[in-house]
Amino acid sequence: MKKFLSLIVIVFMFSSCGSQDKTLASIENTVNITDNAKPKLIVGIVVDQMRYDYLTRFDSKFGEGGFKRMINEGFNCKNNHFNYVPTYTGPGHASVYTGTTPKYHGIISNNWYDKEIKETVYCASDDSVESVGTTGYAGKMSPQRMLTTSFADENRLFTQMRGKTIGIAIKDRGAILPAGHTANAAYWFHGKEEGAWITSTFYRNELPQWVKDFNTSDAAGSYFKIWDTYQPIETYTESGNDLNDFEGGFKGQETATFPYDLAALKSENNGFDILKATAYGNSLTVDFAMAAIKGEALGQDDDTDVLAVSFSSTDYVGHNFGVNSKEIEDTYIRLDRDLERFFNYLDTTIGEGEYTVFLTADHGAVDVPAYLQSIKIPAGYLDYNDRKERFTTFLESSYGTKDIVENVSNNQIFFNKEKLKELNLNIHEVEQALVDEQISYPNIAKVYTATTMNSTNYTTGIEALLQNGFNQKRSGDVIVVDDIAHIAYSRTGSTHGSGLNYDTHVPLLFFGKGINHGETYTKTVIPDIAPTISALLGVSFPNGSTGDVLGFVID
């Protein structure tokens, strides 16, 4: 019996060893597969001011190789939202790549009042650096005001700085903030009379030869041509009449109607800047992005590279013509073709199935309130001058001076703390007094204090969005929320910034290497993107990330 038991033990030991060897081999194979499964290139695409419904409204006009390719081959998160206020370009781009909200990354708006230096600052400005590629101020930019890392930064750290990062956008902030702090370069388009892609000494002291070659190639100048609809205008049934009262248009042309002779209009519309506000600005961005892939040899070695591309022209067109315009429809039809051209180039240079793309937006936009009013939907325009007069009168009658308020901007009121102390005023009592005053004004829906934002944990509603956008050191002392579909803007064109669905609901598409095929109506939020890409790459999450990994997206 003992001999029999000994034999069983010996057999078990040998079989265990064999099993362990197989397990180790399996682990080794898994590691190899995992290493090989990493994409050679991550392409992050942010479409400025893209509402989610543009995917569905214009679906019948799209080809098979752009948006539809991403949907048909990749994963579509249909209920994707921003989870903070304000929904502006700077905070949007920062949040996509850092995986957190302004509460932590610190980009609380495009411009904000700096309480320490008592001046308004721009999210990407940096006087400590110099312009490269232009002699003007346009290049004095960097990501220095962004407080956290991006997933591109974490990829650089993980690869011992071998994996490259390049940021590209017509807008400086659309290139700089996504690229992060460790980028090899970020490039943005300087229009006016120059029409050149530029950078700053934060990244390098001179433009690389491939950028110089691109700038001298007249690629930008080639787009000074007729902008007419890509397809017959009578087929554009997904948008309003071409001639209406709700669009801005260009100087030098009497009506905001197709076609637009850009060569003839450029002199009255700041030269190359007119291209920014047309569909051709996106085409130029793709041209430059492809040149960057070749010039920087992106995706050509074993270390994953990151290319951050933002299409800014969609925002300029939306602001000018509105979300229901023929111009916006044509811009997205043409962008779809540009995406197809871009993906085909990636197939050729990187290899089909060797790269990963995500596409989202930095915010949406509201329908032109004047148009909404014309069809009896509640909407309107804000009279800030009337608010200012009433508020000044209140301050002077209540406190004897208006100087207790230092600044009013971005729907926030900033106190002069020194003046409050001088007058021996209790800051919390003044906060509440201003709340009670502001809530009585027309078209103000809600008002909150900084104390409330710091002391109450909100999980739902506009209050949670405000809190996610509230940075204790940078934000104001009283926060104002306007009525739905009420904006401080011209009566033509669209804008954004609220926590409402028309501003928060934006696309989120993934496709390429390591991505599942499917779709979901499960709610996802913008900060989920960066940790998801980090998980795909096996790198650390951005250091301030608060988003979740979308495990159902990853194959």
Side-chain angles (χ1 to χ4, degrees), residues 477-508:
D477 299 288
V478 175
I479 304 169
V480 175
V481 180
D482 294 316
D483 278 347
I484 294 173
H486 282 70
I487 59 175
Y489 205 66
S490 68
R491 293 186 67 82
T492 58
S494 301
T495 194
H496 48 87
S498 78
L500 296 157
N501 286 324
Y502 50 72
D503 281 337
T504 67
H505 190 194
V506 298
L508 178 54

Side-chain angles (χ1 to χ4, degrees), residues 246-447:
F246 315 117
E247 301 176 13
F250 297 116
K251 293 178 182 178
Q253 182 159 325
E254 186 175 347
T255 61
T257 55
F258 282 109
Y260 299 96
D261 186 342
L262 303 183
L265 293 170
K266 66 178 181 178
S267 62
E268 294 188 57
N269 293 273
N270 294 319
F272 282 94
D273 279 350
I274 194 173
L275 298 180
K276 299 178 181 180
T278 74
Y280 297 141
N282 296 325
S283 302
L284 178 62
T285 302
V286 169
D287 295 342
F288 189 73
M290 293 191 302
I293 291 170
K294 181 179 179 181
E296 297 290 341
L298 298 180
Q300 301 303 313
D301 57 29
D302 293 334
D303 293 304
T304 301
D305 298 322
V306 175
L307 177 63
V309 181
S310 179
F311 290 105
S312 307
S313 291
T314 43
D315 184 68
Y316 288 111
V317 175
H319 277 294
N320 191 356
F321 297 97
V323 305
N324 197 46
S325 63
K326 291 281 191 278
E327 288 79 2
I328 205 72
E329 179 168 1
D330 190 70
T331 296
Y332 277 91
I333 290 171
R334 289 179 179 274
L335 174 60
D336 180 64
R337 270 57 180 187
D338 279 324
L339 288 174
E340 181 174 4
R341 178 165 64 99
F342 187 40
F343 296 156
N344 288 341
Y345 184 80
L346 291 171
D347 289 342
T348 301
T349 57
I350 310 301
E352 187 172 358
E354 294 299 327
Y355 60 90
T356 305
V357 181
F358 70 81
L359 182 149
T360 188
D362 56 349
H363 53 74
V366 65
D367 262 295
V368 179
Y371 168 66
L372 294 178
Q373 289 174 332
S374 75
I375 55 174
K376 301 180 181 180
I377 292 178
Y381 294 89
L382 305 172
D383 188 344
Y384 278 175
N385 289 330
D386 178 64
R387 279 190 192 177
K388 182 178 180 180
E389 289 178 11
R390 291 183 60 169
F391 191 42
T392 299
T393 299
F394 164 77
L395 292 174
E396 290 176 341
S397 63
S398 300
Y399 304 105
T401 179
K402 63 180 182 179
D403 293 341
I404 64 167
V405 170
E406 204 164 66
N407 180 269
V408 179
S409 57
N410 289 318
N411 277 29
Q412 298 180 41
I413 299 170
F414 295 80
F415 287 156
N416 181 334
K417 304 296 176 55
E418 291 77 15
K419 194 68 177 179
L420 290 177
K421 290 180 181 179
E422 177 187 321
L423 296 176
N424 198 29
L425 294 171
N426 182 293
I427 188 171
H428 302 300
E429 293 176 356
V430 177
E431 275 183 339
Q432 189 57 50
L434 267 58
V435 168
D436 295 339
E437 172 66 14
Q438 289 280 324
I439 198 64
S440 69
Y441 294 173
N443 303 130
I444 290 182
K446 295 177 182 291
V447 189

